[in-house]
Amino acid sequence: MQWKDEGFLLSKNKYGENSIIIEVFTLNHGKCSGIVYGGTSKKIKNYLQLGNKIDLNLKKKNDSKLGYFKIEIIDAISPFFFDDNKKINCLFSSLNLLKTVLPELLSYNSIYVLFSNFLNELKFSNFWIIHYIFWEMNLLREIGFDMNLISNSVSKSNSEKKMITVIIDNEKINIPSFMVDKKFENINTKTIYYALKFIGTFLEKKIFIPNNLNYPISRKNLESCFR
Amino acid sequence: MKKNIPEIEKLVKLISKFPGLGPKSAKRIVLKLTNNKEELIKPLANTLVQVYKNIIRCNICGNIKSSNSNCTLQTCSYSDKNYNQICVVENIADMWVIESLGIYKGYYHILGGTLSSSDNKKTDNLLIPSLVERVKKNTINEVILATSATIEGQTTAHYIQNSLKDTKVKISKLAQGLPVGGEIEFLDDGTLFSAFKNRGPVASD
């Protein structure tokens, strides 16, 4: 079988001397892996950077076998963030999250569009971290872990109060009010840290611990950037 | 019927694990070795034993060294002179390339890899704490971060930068941009973006 698609590079691992096994999140085929022959060559290595958008041409004998990719670059995304510690950790964290939560070979067009939009915001917006927080919440909703913050909130926010109480799994938790009312006037580093920490705890309880996974270091690093 | 000799099979299997070698090349090497037992196998076996016994990776600078040499945070067995710069590289091959150019005179610090996004590799496996200690205990003026221009390399560079924040040492990193002989028409987006971002003033005469 053979197909052509576009996708974002999630991870790469060396295979043999000259080849690489890549994992990509594609528009029409979801998350899938394949071998790139000659992936360590100077030409291909240049654009096989995590987060880059690539054109993919996959050939494989059948669904149960690992196919091989022919790739071309569409958009080099990662070099934009080389100098920015926070943004590079944010990109790392988002890729890691996609790699962890997405099932293999199941198309998720909506998540692909969300991720694509988020990368645009990461490149050009000054409020990229807000976009990241909402991207994580939307991702969780799409995969069936909706936090329902609006219906779960028990105390209302006002302009002075930056925090709001929500009940999740019979537990009262204080979260930054912008996560519910989407008013972004009084946001500071501390509120961003609380928001990241809240989603991080949710991820840990619902996804990482039940699946026996470690909390990703990239996300810990991102949180520590705002501590 | 052909009868396999287990010793030879085992040797072929081992040699074919070397970079650049497959089973066919390994068989040729084994043949050469068996035909020259005294001249090749004996000294090779002796040398391998010596290397196995005496060569270790230094847990301070990350370089390979003889187990007899005593490395401390202040002295490095790899260099006799005292320097005030440390060049941080990912692996020994990177150090050899920089060294062969002869453009840098100073200490090296080999991390032994980069921070990885996927496998949650612990930062303890990289020799970052010993780098901080070396900077603190020596009169180091500058730390040059020579990690790769990849997302993993740059994340590692940022991590080291954070770890060295308290030492107040000057931290620099290698420039990114146009490669020598690179024609703009054929450059990829990432390289061109870095070249524009890191452009510098033209030196006047």
Side-chain angles (χ1 to χ4, degrees), chain A residues 130-147:
Chain A
I130 312 279
H131 288 284
Y132 176 74
I133 289 165
F134 281 96
W135 173 78
E136 272 192 342
M137 285 162 64
N138 290 332
L139 174 70
L140 285 169
R141 193 191 62 229
E142 291 290 333
I143 58 167
F145 292 95
D146 196 354
M147 290 190 247

Side-chain angles (χ1 to χ4, degrees), chain A residues 11-12 17 46 49-50 74-76 78-80 82-85 88-89 91-92 96 99 214-217, chain B residues 18-21 115 117-118 120-121 149-152 154-155 158 162 173 176 188-190 193-194 197-198:
Chain A
S11 71
K12 55 178 181 177
E17 264 181 65
N46 270 354
Q49 300 297 323
L50 300 184
I74 297 175
D75 195 3
S78 55
F80 281 83
F82 276 177
D83 292 334
D84 194 325
N85 188 21
I88 212 168
N89 274 315
L91 179 68
F92 239 165
N96 213 3
K99 189 178 150 60
N214 289 330
Y215 196 78
I217 288 175
Chain B
F18 290 152
L21 297 178
L115 294 176
S117 70
S118 50
N120 278 345
K121 205 194 270 177
T150 59
I151 195 161
E152 295 97 336
Q154 294 307 304
T155 311
H158 287 301
N162 269 341
K173 66 173 189 175
Q176 288 160 13
D188 62 285
D189 300 5
F193 174 79
S194 294
K197 203 175 176 189
N198 301 319

